[in-house]
Amino acid sequence: MSLKKQIDAYNVQKEAKLPSDVLALMEQTTNELIAQHIKDKALQIGAKISNFSLQNHNDEYVELADLLNKGPVIISFYRGNWCPYCNLELKALNDYLPQFKTHSAQLIAISPQLPDETLSTAQKNDLEFNVLSDINNKVAEQFGLLFTLDKRIQALYSQFGIDFEKYYGDKSYKLPLPATYVINQKGIITYAFLNEDYTLRAEPIDVMAALELEQY
C-alpha cells in the first residue's frame, strides 16, 4: 500500500474521531502556514549542503560527510514521535530501506526531539536507520525549514496531552516542515519534497526513482 493510501485511511479515522471545530481549526491554521510560502525559501534541488554532525538514537554522533563517502544520503525531517503522519512516513521509508541500499544510499531521519525521544521513535517504529536529534533545530534552520507552531495549535496539542518541553526540552514550539531530500555524493540536493501541509509526505517510490536517476 502506498504511503498516500495509508495517510488517507488515517485521515478517515481522524475525521470520524475529532470534533468538526477542531478539524476546521487544523485546516485553517494549515492554510495560513501555506500562505507563508516557507517551502519556497527553503533549500531546493541544486543547492549544496553544508556538513553537519548530530547525535543518533544510540548516543553516537553521525556526520553527513562520513555518510556521503559511502553513497547518496536520504534525509527525512519529521516533527516528532507524537505525530501520526511522521510515524507512517518513517515506517514506509523503513520498508524501502533494502531497496535504498541497492544504491548504497544511507537513510537518516532528523527531528528536534531530545535523544531519549529519538530513541523512543526508533524503537516504536522498529526503525533500522539512524534517527538523529537536531537540538534547537540548527540543521533544520540551515535547510530553511523552520517555523513556529500557531498558538491555537499549541493550545490544542496541549489538550491532546502533547508536552513540548518533554519532547524538545523547551517550549519554543519551533518545528521543521516535514521534508525529504536526496543528497548526492557531491553534497548536492537531487530530490526535494517539502510542504507546509504536514499531512502530505514524500512517497518512498519517488525517493527510489531519484536514487535510480543518480546512476545516469
Side-chain angles (χ1 to χ4, degrees):
M1 184 186 296
S2 70
L3 178 55
K4 183 181 185 304
K5 287 184 178 178
Q6 294 178 57
I7 289 175
D8 287 344
Y10 172 77
N11 284 336
V12 170
Q13 296 176 6
K14 183 177 78 171
E15 290 170 8
K17 181 179 179 181
L18 294 179
S20 58
D21 60 330
V22 170
L23 293 170
L25 176 61
M26 289 177 165
E27 182 178 5
Q28 179 184 350
T29 53
T30 296
N31 288 335
E32 290 172 0
L33 186 61
I34 291 170
Q36 295 181 34
H37 299 288
I38 297 171
K39 70 180 180 65
D40 297 333
K41 303 169 188 173
L43 294 185
Q44 306 287 341
I45 292 173
K48 186 171 178 59
I49 304 303
S50 299
N51 189 36
F52 60 80
S53 178
L54 294 174
Q55 189 175 357
N56 73 6
H57 58 287
N58 293 319
D59 293 329
E60 303 163 334
Y61 278 89
V62 175
E63 189 169 351
L64 177 63
D66 291 339
L67 298 178
L68 289 173
N69 284 333
K70 302 173 185 177
V73 174
I74 304 161
I75 303 177
S76 175
F77 285 92
Y78 71 103
R79 305 193 301 166
N81 63 31
W82 50 268
C83 169
Y85 296 95
C86 298
N87 291 323
L88 286 172
E89 180 181 24
L90 293 176
K91 288 178 183 177
L93 288 169
N94 194 67
D95 288 343
Y96 261 77
L97 195 55
Q99 296 182 60
F100 295 154
K101 287 181 177 179
T102 64
H103 296 278
S104 300
Q106 312 288 306
L107 171 61
I108 58 176
I110 299 175
S111 87
Q113 290 186 131
L114 296 172
D116 283 351
E117 295 302 326
T118 298
L119 176 61
S120 176
T121 299
Q123 291 177 337
K124 179 169 68 174
N125 295 302
D126 295 320
L127 303 180
E128 298 177 3
F129 55 86
N130 279 306
V131 185
L132 308 181
S133 292
D134 181 22
I135 305 299
N136 298 321
N137 285 292
K138 291 180 180 179
V139 174
E141 188 170 18
Q142 290 176 16
F143 276 73
L145 300 172
L146 211 53
F147 74 99
T148 301
L149 201 63
D150 186 282
K151 288 184 177 180
R152 293 163 292 177
I153 296 298
Q154 293 178 25
L156 181 63
Y157 284 177
S158 180
Q159 292 176 25
F160 290 165
I162 300 171
D163 184 344
F164 267 63
E165 192 162 9
K166 170 181 176 289
Y167 285 107
Y168 305 108
D170 62 35
K171 286 193 173 182
S172 67
Y173 294 98
K174 291 186 180 297
L175 293 173
L177 294 182
T180 303
Y181 289 94
V182 173
I183 316 296
N184 70 15
Q185 288 191 269
K186 296 179 181 178
I188 305 296
I189 295 173
T190 58
Y191 171 86
F193 180 98
L194 52 157
N195 201 300
E196 292 90 355
D197 184 344
Y198 64 93
T199 70
L200 301 178
R201 304 298 173 111
E203 283 289 343
I205 194 170
D206 293 335
V207 176
M208 188 66 189
L211 291 172
E212 290 170 347
L213 285 174
E214 286 292 313
Q215 297 183 333
Y216 299 99

